[in-house]
């Protein structure tokens, strides 16, 4: 059954999200962003806040000019909502490949072919995406181009005109109130995943051994692939130790239990506070940090069996560098 209010070609929301992504980026129908993205869309990534589909079109063309063979195969779409009620919400996981063929925002062409994950949350209505939250694994992009995330952040600041003129990372201070005000679908799987991550962020890291499968497959920022209790502890301990007094919020949670599919959940969350501890971001700087995260989880009878979580380490290092001046 086609989506109500959408082009009849789309059979369901995953079909729409996957199809629109391929059509824009790989089939070069960039002009269709005027149709599929609302005129006043707000796109938030840890690196910036972009408003309006004209800005999105410009950014898309700049990316494809630098990475002309970019492909974005979709790994999964976790979603909720009702087209009859007027709001649909997707959390889309992609694995991107692209060759750095031409000069651009990442400097002179290196000829290197990169592989990195993206997580994107989109609110949709009447064949349009009208709010978006997007995280690219900028850390692994930097590493594959021969820079650390910290070096990449400092290069960005310099190339964008210095601390006073550079693009400011996304924080609550420069956020824009969008049209979507939902917080998820209240499904028990979303609530379960949210409870686990909330407890971890509240320093109850012992919950990992109780709630993660011992053989859990873990995919974290900077292309890190890890497994099991120790792998999850390594990532979350490093993050929590860096901002030990930060406030944590679950901004959106979805759970899905579909026939023939693993039980799945997605979370979009925020961690806001001072960089006052040794952890993932080195020596404490005192910088006020805002960290947006998106995670996908799959559950089995032994607990959380797969997790894909992203934060943008380059955007976080940029906040630290701007604080230091």
């Amino acid at each position: 059954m086609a989506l109500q209010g959408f082009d009849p070609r789309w059979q369901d929301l995953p079909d729409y999200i996957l199809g629109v992504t391929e059509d824009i980026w790989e089939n070069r129908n960039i002009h269709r962003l005027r149709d599929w993205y609302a005129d006043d869309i707000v796109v938030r990534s840890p690196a910036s806040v972009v408003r309006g589909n004209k800005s999105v079109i410009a950014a898309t063309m700049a990316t494809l000019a630098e990475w002309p063979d970019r492909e974005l195969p979709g790994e999964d779409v976790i979603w909720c909502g009702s087209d009859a009620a007027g709001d649909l919400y997707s959390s889309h996981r992609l694995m991107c490949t692209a060759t750095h063929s031409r000069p651009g925002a990442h400097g002179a062409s290196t000829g290197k072919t990169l592989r990195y994950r993206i997580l994107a949350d989109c609110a949709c209505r009447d064949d349009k995406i009208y709010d978006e939250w997007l995280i690219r694994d900028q850390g692994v992009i930097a590493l594959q181009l021969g820079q650390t995330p910290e070096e990449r952040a400092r290069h960005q600041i310099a190339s964008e005109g210095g601390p006073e003129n550079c693009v400011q990372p996304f924080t609550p201070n420069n956020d824009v109130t969008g049209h979507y005000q939902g917080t998820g679908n209240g499904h028990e799987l979303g609530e379960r995943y949210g409870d686990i991550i909330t407890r971890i962020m509240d320093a109850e890291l012992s919950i990992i051994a109780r709630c993660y499968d011992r053989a859990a497959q873990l995919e974290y920022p900077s292309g890190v692939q890890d497994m099991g209790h120790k792998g999850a502890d390594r990532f979350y301990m490093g993050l929590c130790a860096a901002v030990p007094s930060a406030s944590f919020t679950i901004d959106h949670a979805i759970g899905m239990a579909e026939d023939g599919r693993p039980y799945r959940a997605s979370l979009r969350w925020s961690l806001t506070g001072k960089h006052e501890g040794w952890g993932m971001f080195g020596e404490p700087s005192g910088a006020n940090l805002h960290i947006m995260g998106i995670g996908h989880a799959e559950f089995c009878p032994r607990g959380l069996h797969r997790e894909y979580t992203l934060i943008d380490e380059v955007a976080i290092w940029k906040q630290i560098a701007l604080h230091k001046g």
Side-chain angles (χ1 to χ4, degrees), residues 202-217:
D202 194 34
E204 190 184 341
L205 281 95
S206 59
I207 198 171
I208 291 172
R210 299 197 301 273
C211 294
Y212 280 66
D213 182 1
R214 287 184 65 241
Q217 305 299 301

Side-chain angles (χ1 to χ4, degrees), residues 235-250:
F235 170 66
Y236 286 110
M237 185 69 79
L239 178 59
C240 293
V243 285
S245 301
S247 64
F248 176 75
T249 59
I250 299 289

Side-chain angles (χ1 to χ4, degrees), residues 190-210:
E191 300 295 318
R192 178 181 176 186
Y193 189 28
D195 181 63
I196 292 169
I197 302 304
T198 298
R199 291 187 182 201
I200 288 173
M201 297 298 187
D202 194 34
E204 190 184 341
L205 281 95
S206 59
I207 198 171
I208 291 172
R210 299 197 301 273

Side-chain angles (χ1 to χ4, degrees), residues 25 36 41 43 59 61 86 88 180 190 199 234 252 257 320:
W25 289 97
W36 290 323
I41 186 172
V43 180
M61 290 193 294
L88 293 160
Y180 183 79
R199 291 187 182 201
R234 266 188 289 271
H252 203 274
I320 294 169

Side-chain angles (χ1 to χ4, degrees), residues 22-23 25 45 51 61 68 85 93 120 122 136 139 172 176 187 189 204 230 234 238 242 248 268 272:
E22 181 180 0
D23 225 22
W25 289 97
S45 73
R51 285 170 277 189
M61 290 193 294
R93 191 175 77 246
C122 294
R136 300 180 187 89
V176 176
H187 193 280
L189 290 169
E204 190 184 341
K230 291 182 179 179
R234 266 188 289 271
F248 176 75
R268 178 168 50 82
T272 307

